[in-house]
Amino acid sequence: MTPIALKVIRGVFGAAELVAPRLGGRVGFELFCRTPNPKALSEGERKAVERAADLMAEARHHRLKVGRDCVAAHEFRPGEGRLAAGTVLVIHGWRSRTEYMRALIDGCRTAGFRVISLDLPGHGASLGRRLNLVSAVAASRAAGDWFGPFDAVIGHSFGGAVAANATAGAVDGIAPLETGRLVMIAAPNSLSQVFDSFRRQVNLGGRSASVVDRRVRNLSGHGLAHFTGAKQLARLSTPTLVVHAPDDAEVPADDARALAAAGDHVRLLWAYGLGHRRILSDPAVVDQVVDFVTQVSQPAPSH
């Protein structure tokens, strides 16, 4: 968002708070859910996609119907000569896609896992320009219906929040995602805090924000405060690994501490100096994640 565009948006929301908070809330919700243009890649993003072209060429590509959306799921078989060790679901973050998860996908395949990687709505090969936690959880559940149950679910950033809420069955009407283990990398703890940051950025007032909260409640059965990772993890006994860099400039380290405090089944791994995105491709992090995934203490639950 350009500085001029942001200035205009802040002015519009400021006026809407005074004269039309319901309209301001509806527009605010749509803006909050609006995804970046998947074709407008930065130079670094374009190179990452190009580097992963060989990986994507090996995949089996599926289209899953999720409500009115069509979501892409990419299936990667275990490395050559490897026996199938189970199935892992990988979920990327906001403004991301399967190609950016290559190191983790390769690591799991080398360990013998079949990997299913989602492109969330509005990202990668999936259609649309809208994404919210409800639609992301629904997409994860659809992947579970087709390819699960999973031995592990690995999520980065927003995808980590999706993984926790999907596993806990946090959205009314969507069955919990079945998995033996959970990995959350650079994941935010609280959807309310994420929304509050957005509110401050665009100058969305309190009355307009209440309209957004009601919209979330209508979609999910719960208000924004319900979608707190630590709260959801505390409801689970699923062994969970939280991986976070103390220098992450996008998701505060305190979020990782809150997640880790959810119970003895949650382990925290600090990845020093790796920020929010480099953490995905660091060999030591990948090794630790794969090691955690392979230590499945019990088979994934069956249908």
Side-chain angles (χ1 to χ4, degrees):
M1 191 181 301
T2 66
I4 293 177
L6 181 58
K7 185 175 181 179
V8 171
I9 288 171
R10 287 180 60 83
V12 169
F13 279 131
E17 176 70 8
L18 297 175
V19 300
R22 292 180 61 186
L23 177 61
R26 289 197 298 267
V27 174
F29 178 77
E30 292 303 318
L31 185 60
F32 185 55
C33 297
R34 183 72 168 174
T35 58
N37 184 348
K39 297 181 180 179
L41 301 178
S42 68
E43 183 64 16
E45 291 168 339
R46 183 184 62 78
K47 288 181 178 178
V49 171
E50 291 175 352
R51 286 194 297 268
D54 57 337
L55 173 73
M56 300 304 290
E58 297 178 31
R60 295 181 181 180
H61 305 288
H62 307 270
R63 292 282 180 182
L64 309 182
K65 186 69 174 174
V66 183
R68 290 182 290 180
D69 293 323
C70 189
V71 176
H74 310 284
E75 179 183 5
F76 302 91
R77 293 292 181 174
E80 187 175 350
R82 299 277 180 171
L83 297 176
T87 303
V88 172
L89 176 65
V90 171
I91 309 173
H92 64 72
W94 198 273
R95 190 168 183 148
S96 187
R97 56 197 294 158
T98 288
E99 286 90 337
Y100 304 163
M101 309 293 284
R102 173 172 189 159
L104 284 165
I105 293 170
D106 280 341
C108 290
R109 293 177 71 205
T110 299
F113 288 96
R114 177 180 69 151
V115 179
I116 306 300
S117 182
L118 279 177
D119 278 343
L120 293 173
H123 291 75
S126 292
L127 303 178
R129 289 294 304 278
R130 294 177 83 253
L131 176 64
N132 56 54
L133 188 68
V134 176
S135 61
V137 167
S140 302
R141 179 64 255 182
D145 291 339
W146 277 94
F147 305 106
F150 299 111
D151 292 272
V153 177
I154 303 171
H156 172 247
S157 192
F158 177 70
V162 173
N165 283 278
T167 302
V171 177
D172 285 2
I174 302 178
L177 188 64
E178 297 170 299
T179 182
R181 295 211 156 198
L182 182 62
V183 179
M184 303 172 69
I185 303 172
N189 174 48
S190 168
L191 183 60
S192 288
Q193 291 178 359
V194 173
F195 178 67
D196 285 345
S197 177
F198 167 80
R199 275 187 60 192
R200 290 191 294 271
Q201 181 186 27
V202 302
N203 194 32
L204 192 71
R207 292 194 297 169
S208 299
S210 296
V211 174
V212 174
D213 193 68
R214 287 197 297 272
R215 175 63 173 154
V216 173
R217 189 177 296 276
N218 289 339
L219 286 174
S220 68
H222 304 277
L224 284 163
H226 173 73
F227 298 102
T228 301
K231 180 188 298 184
Q232 303 306 330
L233 290 181
R235 298 170 54 197
L236 300 170
S237 59
T238 307
T240 301
L241 177 65
V242 173
V243 187
H244 212 100
D247 65 326
D248 190 325
E250 296 187 35
V251 179
D254 282 346
D255 284 36
R257 295 186 182 97
L259 293 169
D264 292 340
H265 60 294
V266 184
R267 172 187 159 201
L268 175 59
L269 171 66
W270 290 117
Y272 294 95
L274 294 176
H276 189 69
R277 301 190 184 277
R278 294 194 312 279
I279 197 171
L280 281 175
S281 57
D282 181 75
V285 168
V286 172
D287 286 347
Q288 293 260 24
V289 169
V290 172
D291 182 62
F292 177 80
V293 168
T294 56
Q295 296 173 11
V296 180
S297 58
Q298 59 184 10
S302 59
H303 290 293

